[in-house]
Each structure stands twice: as structure tokens, then as C-alpha cells.
Amino acid sequence: MAALSSPYATESVSRKGLPANQLAASGARKFVRALLAERAAAPPATAGTGAAAISSELINTAVLLTSELVTNAVMYAGTDIDVTCRIEHGPPADSEEGRGRATVGVVLEVSDRHPARRVRGGVDARTGEPGYGLQLVSALAESWGVTYRQSVKTVWFRLEATEGEPGPVAPEPRRESPVRLTRHRRGSVLPRGYAAEWADRGGPSFLAETSELLAGQLDQDMVSALAAQLLVPRLADWCAIWLSGEGGGMQLSRVWHVDERRIAPLRSELERDPPGLVRTAGTPWPWPEGAGATAEGGSALAFPLVARDTDHGVLLLGRAGHLQMTDTVVRMVEDVARRVAQAVFTARQYTRQTTISMALQRRQLPASLASIVGVDTAIVYEPHGEGQTVGGDFYDVFPMGDRRWCFLLGDVQGKDPEAMSVTGLARHLVRLLAREGHGVESVLGRLNLAMAEESAEALELGGEQAGSRFLSLLYGELEVDPGVPGARCTVASAGHPPPLHLFVNGTVEPASEPQMLLGIDEGTEYHASSFALAPGETLLCVTDGVTERRCGNWQLDDNDGLIEVLKDGIGLGAKALAEHVRRAAHDFGTGPVEDDLSVLVLQAVPPTVDPRP
């Protein structure tokens, strides 16, 4: 049966694209709920015939089934997802009973780009296949099916309703013969076909709320905390969640109890006896005394937290008394455990990637600036990317013996991880060349050659799409003579905003001439400028994140704007002046800064006068 065939008179179609991540199911639910609720509340003239039949029951059922299909698509396809909602109005053309009573049909389609995987129509949870498959769809939908195309797989279902009749509701769970349970040995497994003693206090709609709350959580302890409070008291009197550690052991992440006074003793008892590997959902578990119980005792079941064929922990639920747990409830709790495991997996992946990224980023910049005799130094560094500690800008100040120091401030084209890798390469290469005795001009020349060769190799391997990596760099040396105030400065700028020299009398001059970017022409020769940095004088170095800060059509450095900012900061120390320039850049525009922002200040310190005669 094709999802697009329609016996109805009129129809409307809405579509929404979703990325394959933890927020996909939430986005799909909001899309479907908002669309159907808007149609149900609209005036009859605009809503279409039969819109009054869109009841809250029909909306809830459509949201639940869509959430399940989108979740499955995210888990197993991993591609972008399209959700299509088709509302079909009017009485059926071939229906005698439908005369005078308007009807509506709602067709939901969930499409992904992974048509090779077979869609399962539902299996028993204990056979090892995770999730409900299409059991919910089969039970609640009027009709459903799967359409395979060359590159797209679409799973669809249809719900139908008539004005004045109740919408689709979930069927009653299949009744099974209960088995009296008291205490169980750890690791014993319930026989197939038997029901554990539990109460069915949840329902299929509980899964939608679970997915909603866990979506987007990037901290595994927060995931376990939310999961525990979802399960207690709806499905259990208490809950404990263990998460596996890197060494293979289990760590108790969260314990929750309806009686908060029992949380501490229950945690203490569970921590003394952590679980081993749990393979089967609904494995009976010894009742801990710290959980408390009536005279009849209590029952506890363990569920593995498995995602991507990896064990991430154990979920333990406990209820007081001899209760009944049907296979339906086992499957539901197992599905909750699967969602918790997937959320834990996502949080761990995020934490691992963030840790690696932060470790790599820290290596791109020096841990601290070298202290220069007779010269105060200050750096302000603000990477543009959210959550990043390093961007395309980089800096360094390092000693070369007792009397000479080198400094640099650079900017790599782009803000992606590739740009970040170039910053580390350039900074360490400059240090290496300087230690081999190369002066300012030689360092820039050799770095330019290395950058040009790197760009040529990338172009050869990746074609024109690889592009080139250009680098702007301001590099210089400070030489200090013992007993002589101030320093001798040699500096050159390769495609970088020139440094500004602030004299004691308030005059400001560029300290170098602009020259070619590094990495464009391997034959470029660079020339340095030398001058004396007298006591009280300042050398200001910035990246284009400062000079090109925009306010409408104007940039901060238009009409020598940066020179005016520097003049306004005369008399400030190095750190205060660096902060003054940073604040001026932020205040110049009304919007957020759109680039990395770096300021390096070198200020010759006036000699101290001994007050003693």
C-alpha cells in the first residue's frame, strides 16, 4: 500500500528535515504536535473538512509513533531524516456510513538515506533485538508500510478519525499468568513465557517523555540523574544506575528512592557489592535491605545499558511487594534502558572529543610568557569559536640566551581545526629556527618557504578544493644591554597589521612596513626594521580581529582609529593598555566579535630611582 494514495477529497502536506542526532525525535514531536494542534484549532473555513475529528488522542498517538520511527532512524540509519505529515480531509467516497460525518486521515512518513537495513516488524524483547520495532505502529495505526526507493527508505503509518468518535487508543496489555517471586539469586534468569512480579504503571507514551528529557544531555551523570527521576516513582520505588569505567569496573552514578531518607543507606549498601556484567533484560536481583520493604519483601530487576554493542552500565529497579511485570512492561523498561545507554554513549563521546580537543588546543599556545628584563609584557587572547581555547590566532614570547628575547603574533587563514594545526606548526618552527641562530628576516623567509611547500602538497593531493593556507605573522627580537635602560627592537610584518610604536610624548608611528603574506610566493624576501624602545615607550601588536572590527560599513582602524585608541591609553601599564585596546574593540561594534582577537603589548620600563642619597 503506497503512502501517497488517498481516497479523500482534499489534502495538505507539510515537511520538516531533521539532523540525525539526539534532538531529532524532540524536533519531530514538536513539528507533528504543533501542526496537528494548529489544524484542530483552526476555523472550519480554513482547517478543512473533518478537522474537528483531530482529537487530543489522535495527536498524542501520532506524536508517539513519529517519535518511535525517528528514534529508530537515528539509531540505525544515522543519516538526515525527513518527516512528512499529510492531512487528508473529507468523507470517504465509497463509505455509506461516513455520510454526514466528516472524517480525517493523518499520514506520517519518516524517510532516511539508509535503505539497506531491513525494517523489523517487532520481536520479543528477550530475543536480543532492542526496541519495539514497529509493534507500536502495528498496534495503533490504521495501516502502515515501508517504501524502498533507490536511495531513500520511508516508513509510514496512517491514522483515521471521524467526528464524534473517539480517536485511536493503545490496546490493553496482554495479560499473562503471574509467578510468585520472593528473593532471587543474582544472575538467575526468568524462564521464557513467565512474567516477573511487577505492576504496569507506565505506558508507551512514557518513552516519548524519556527521549525528550534525555535529548541533548552531554554529561553522563546528568543523564543518569534524569533517568532515575523519570523511573521513580512511575515504574519503581527506587532506582540505581551503575556506569562502566575505563578500567572495566562499575561506578555507582545515581541512586534515587521515593523516600529520600533511604537514599544514603541504599547507596552505601549497593556500593559495597557492585554488579558484574548483565546480559539479559529483567534479570532478578537480590533485594537490598537498605531499600526497605513491607513484610512481603520486594522485587528487583536489572537491565543492561548497551549501545553500539558496548556495555555502558546497569540499570536496577526495585518495587516493594509481590508485583506483576508483563512482557510488555519488560520491553518498555528495556527500551528506556536503551535510550539511557544511547544518551550515556553520546555524552561520553562528547566528553572524549572535548578532552582531546582541549589537550590539543593547549599545545598550540605557550603555557606562559617569558619575562623580559626591563620590559613589561601583556597578552589578551580571545578565540572566536564557542568552547575553544585556541583559534586561528597565536602568539609566543621566548628567550634566546640571557640578553635576547623573541616575540611573535600571527593569524592563520580560517578558523577550522586545519587552521589550528597550522598555528602549532608555525609557532614551533619559529622557535626551532630562532634557536638555530636565524635572525628575523631569515626566520620569515624559511617559514614562508615551508608554508608554500605545504600549500603546494595539499593542492597536489586534494586538488583545487584543498585550497591554500596563508599565514600573517609579526615577528621580532628584543635585545637588552645590562645597565642600559630600554631595549633594541628588530621587527618585521608579513601580511600582518604593522606594530605601533608609542613614544613618551604621545606620538605614534608604525614600526614596520607591510609585506607579503607567508605561503603565497616561496621566493619572497622579507626585510626587518630596527629601532630603540626607550624607557616608557610601548610597542602595540594586534591581529586583524582588532583592526577589522566592524560597526556598519566602518572598521576600527579606518582613519587611523587604532592609533587614536593607543593614544587614549598613554600612561597605562602593559596589562592595563592591553585590556584598554580589547575593550575598545568590543565597544566599537554593537554585535559580537566575529573573529579571534589578540593584543600583545611590550613596554620598556623606566629605570627605578634609588631614593637614598
Side-chain angles (χ1 to χ4, degrees):
M1 181 177 180
L4 300 181
S5 63
S6 171
Y8 295 96
T10 60
E11 66 179 26
S12 60
V13 180
S14 299
R15 292 184 175 87
K16 183 175 181 64
L18 298 167
N21 57 31
Q22 288 288 313
L23 300 177
S26 174
R29 288 192 294 271
K30 292 178 181 177
F31 165 67
V32 173
R33 186 177 296 279
L35 181 64
L36 295 181
E38 179 184 7
R39 187 58 57 90
T46 58
T49 305
I54 302 178
S55 62
S56 59
E57 290 84 358
L58 185 144
I59 294 176
N60 290 336
T61 302
V63 169
L64 171 63
L65 299 187
T66 303
S67 178
E68 183 66 21
L69 294 185
V70 171
T71 299
N72 288 342
V74 171
M75 291 287 293
Y76 301 125
T79 67
D80 289 345
I81 299 164
D82 291 327
V83 178
T84 303
C85 181
R86 185 184 306 277
I87 303 176
E88 302 170 333
H89 306 275
D94 57 351
S95 173
E96 295 275 339
E97 298 178 359
R99 256 173 223 165
R101 305 180 68 184
T103 60
V104 66
V106 177
V107 178
L108 268 301
E109 301 176 354
V110 177
S111 303
D112 61 62
R113 276 72 172 173
H114 188 61
R117 183 177 174 88
R118 180 169 61 92
V119 176
R120 297 184 178 271
V123 294
D124 191 290
R126 297 179 188 177
T127 62
E129 178 67 21
Y132 278 95
L134 290 173
Q135 289 184 87
L136 287 176
V137 178
S138 177
L140 301 180
E142 180 73 19
S143 58
W144 64 274
V146 184
T147 301
Y148 287 92
R149 298 181 178 87
Q150 186 172 1
S151 59
V152 176
K153 179 186 83 236
T154 299
V155 184
W156 59 270
F157 65 87
R158 182 196 302 278
L159 302 175
E160 296 181 358
T162 302
E163 288 184 354
E165 294 184 359
V169 294
E172 289 294 322
R174 180 171 56 93
R175 295 298 178 184
E176 303 178 53
S177 300
V179 176
R180 299 287 294 179
L181 296 182
T182 54
R183 307 254 177 153
H184 306 281
R185 291 180 295 106
R186 178 178 299 185
S188 62
V189 181
L190 291 175
R192 277 174 83 78
Y194 282 66
E197 296 195 0
W198 213 284
D200 183 359
R201 299 176 65 180
S205 61
F206 178 65
L207 299 176
E209 183 180 358
T210 301
S211 298
E212 183 85 35
L213 288 177
L214 297 183
Q217 295 297 333
L218 299 177
D219 180 87
Q220 63 176 17
D221 291 327
M222 180 60 71
V223 169
S224 60
L226 288 174
Q229 294 185 47
L230 275 168
L231 294 166
V232 177
R234 297 188 185 184
L235 297 179
D237 292 325
W238 58 269
C239 172
I241 298 178
W242 280 273
L243 296 180
S244 59
E246 294 183 358
M250 291 287 186
Q251 181 178 0
L252 188 56
S253 175
R254 186 71 175 180
V255 174
W256 198 247
H257 199 292
V258 289
D259 185 354
E260 295 186 7
R261 295 172 298 178
R262 295 191 177 274
I263 293 177
L266 178 58
R267 170 180 281 275
S268 178
E269 181 177 352
L270 293 175
E271 284 179 335
R272 292 196 298 267
D273 190 16
L277 198 60
V278 177
R279 291 294 188 188
T280 306
T283 300
W285 200 263
W287 181 267
E289 294 182 2
T294 63
E296 297 180 353
S299 303
L301 295 178
F303 294 81
L305 299 179
V306 180
R308 308 292 177 92
D309 298 324
T310 302
D311 293 307
H312 294 283
V314 174
L315 169 65
L316 183 61
L317 299 179
R319 286 289 308 279
H322 298 295
L323 303 165
Q324 181 180 359
M325 186 177 192
T326 65
D327 278 346
T328 300
V329 180
V330 172
R331 288 193 292 269
M332 185 185 67
V333 177
E334 185 180 14
D335 225 344
V336 171
R338 178 169 60 86
R339 283 161 166 77
V340 173
Q342 179 62 34
V344 170
F345 171 81
T346 301
R348 288 180 167 181
Q349 286 290 96
Y350 174 80
T351 301
R352 185 177 298 110
Q353 292 174 4
T354 301
T355 302
I356 294 173
S357 177
M358 295 290 287
L360 292 175
Q361 289 182 45
R362 284 194 296 268
R363 300 294 298 174
Q364 309 306 309
L365 298 176
S368 61
L369 295 181
S371 178
I372 303 176
V373 177
V375 178
D376 277 348
T377 60
I379 184 73
V380 168
Y381 180 76
E382 292 183 353
H384 170 63
E386 182 179 356
Q388 289 189 338
T389 58
V390 176
D393 290 1
F394 62 101
Y395 62 89
D396 203 356
V397 177
F398 57 93
M400 288 299 299
D402 297 332
R403 299 171 51 189
R404 190 161 62 98
W405 285 263
C406 302
F407 63 91
L408 62 90
L409 185 62
D411 184 6
V412 179
Q413 176 195 23
K415 302 178 181 66
D416 53 7
E418 184 71 21
M420 189 180 71
S421 68
V422 175
T423 65
L425 171 66
R427 187 175 75 86
H428 291 292
L429 185 55
V430 168
R431 281 200 172 207
L432 178 63
L433 292 172
R435 289 196 172 100
E436 289 183 350
H438 294 277
V440 173
E441 297 174 350
S442 179
V443 167
L444 291 180
R446 291 176 180 267
L447 182 59
N448 175 63
L449 180 61
M451 292 292 298
E453 291 177 349
E454 180 78 13
S455 297
E457 291 177 1
L459 193 63
E460 182 179 351
L461 293 175
E464 295 183 359
Q465 295 181 350
S468 301
R469 288 290 176 182
F470 303 136
L471 172 67
S472 72
L473 182 67
L474 187 151
Y475 175 65
E477 296 178 355
L478 287 174
E479 189 171 355
V480 178
D481 289 331
V484 179
R488 186 71 185 174
C489 182
T490 303
V491 66
S493 175
H496 203 84
L500 298 180
H501 186 181
L502 173 63
F503 294 87
V504 177
N505 62 5
T507 304
V508 177
E509 294 180 357
S512 67
E513 297 294 328
Q515 300 177 79
M516 184 74 71
L517 283 165
L518 298 172
I520 294 181
D521 182 6
E522 62 182 23
T524 301
E525 295 183 358
Y526 294 91
H527 303 282
S529 303
S530 295
F531 57 92
L533 190 66
E537 295 180 352
T538 300
L539 188 68
L540 174 65
C541 312
V542 301
T543 57
D544 58 10
V546 175
T547 58
E548 297 179 3
R549 171 72 164 138
R550 302 192 69 87
C551 180
N553 295 326
W554 290 89
Q555 294 184 348
L556 185 146
D557 201 31
D558 289 345
N559 299 324
D560 294 331
L562 184 59
I563 291 179
E564 295 303 319
V565 171
L566 182 55
K567 287 181 178 180
D568 291 341
I570 190 170
L572 298 176
K575 292 182 175 58
L577 182 59
E579 175 60 23
H580 167 72
V581 175
R582 185 197 72 84
R583 176 49 56 192
H586 278 270
D587 293 345
F588 182 77
T590 57
V593 177
E594 297 295 334
D595 197 359
D596 301 332
L597 189 151
S598 303
V599 180
L600 175 63
V601 175
L602 304 172
Q603 189 175 77
V605 180
T608 57
V609 179
D610 192 346
R612 294 176 299 178

